[in-house]
């Protein structure tokens, strides 16, 4: 199976459609901070500075990369307001909202099997 910036191996996609669907979703969510960004944006539009503050010590470059990838995949929407200083806000798209049950299921699994108090 080839999962990379160039996409998926067409032969694999044809032979293993169900596995491809899982790999596709994993590829969209790959990235250390994407799950946290999606969780933080659920139900509320947030400014870039709020997302940065929520994630703590994450570098601006890393955050920008994760946000750009989510935007390119159609998961989040980026709105820039022509103010001084510019205001940038992020929100989930309909496609992003459809990923929330995946995060909820992951949370349920972690609560049941993880080492949480």
């Amino acid at each position: 199976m080839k999962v990379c910036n160039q996409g998926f191996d067409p032969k694999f996609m044809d032979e293993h459609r169900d596995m491809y669907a899982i790999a596709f979703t994993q590829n969209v969510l790959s990235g250390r901070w994407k799950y946290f960004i999606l969780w933080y944006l659920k139900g509320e539009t947030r400014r870039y500075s709020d997302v940065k503050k929520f994630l703590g010590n994450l570098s601006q470059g890393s955050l920008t990369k994760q946000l750009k990838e989510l935007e390119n995949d159609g998961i989040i929407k980026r709105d820039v307001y022509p103010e001084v200083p510019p205001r940038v806000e992020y929100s989930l798209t309909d496609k992003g909202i459809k990923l929330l049950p995946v995060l909820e299921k992951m949370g349920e699994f972690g609560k049941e099997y993880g080492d949480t108090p």
Side-chain angles (χ1 to χ4, degrees):
M1 170 170 67
K2 178 174 120 186
V3 180
C4 63
N5 291 338
Q6 290 79 33
F8 295 87
D9 179 36
K11 183 178 179 200
F12 175 84
M13 288 171 35
D14 289 341
E15 292 175 0
H16 306 284
R17 205 69 188 144
D18 291 344
M19 182 61 102
Y20 163 72
I22 293 168
F24 176 84
T25 304
Q26 186 275 331
N27 194 50
V28 168
L29 292 173
S30 69
R32 185 173 184 180
W33 304 100
K34 288 181 182 178
Y35 300 97
F36 299 111
I37 292 168
L38 294 177
W39 180 88
Y40 190 60
L41 292 177
K42 70 178 184 176
E44 191 170 340
T45 297
R46 306 279 188 157
R47 293 179 77 159
Y48 177 88
S49 59
D50 294 330
V51 177
K52 175 91 170 82
K53 191 181 304 178
F54 172 73
L55 294 173
N57 294 334
L58 178 63
S59 72
Q60 183 173 340
S62 292
L63 176 57
T64 300
K65 180 180 185 287
Q66 299 282 286
L67 291 168
K68 178 69 87 182
E69 288 174 3
L70 288 167
E71 183 183 5
N72 289 342
D73 287 333
I75 306 301
I76 64 172
K77 178 182 167 194
R78 178 178 184 259
D79 289 310
V80 180
Y81 297 91
E83 303 172 351
V84 178
R87 178 170 45 116
V88 179
E89 293 182 341
Y90 293 92
S91 59
L92 294 177
T93 63
D94 289 340
K95 190 175 176 180
I97 291 168
K98 288 185 177 189
L99 275 174
L100 293 178
V102 174
L103 297 180
E104 290 168 8
K105 288 292 184 188
M106 291 172 67
E108 290 172 15
F109 182 87
K111 287 176 185 173
E112 185 170 348
Y113 297 105
D115 287 336
T116 57

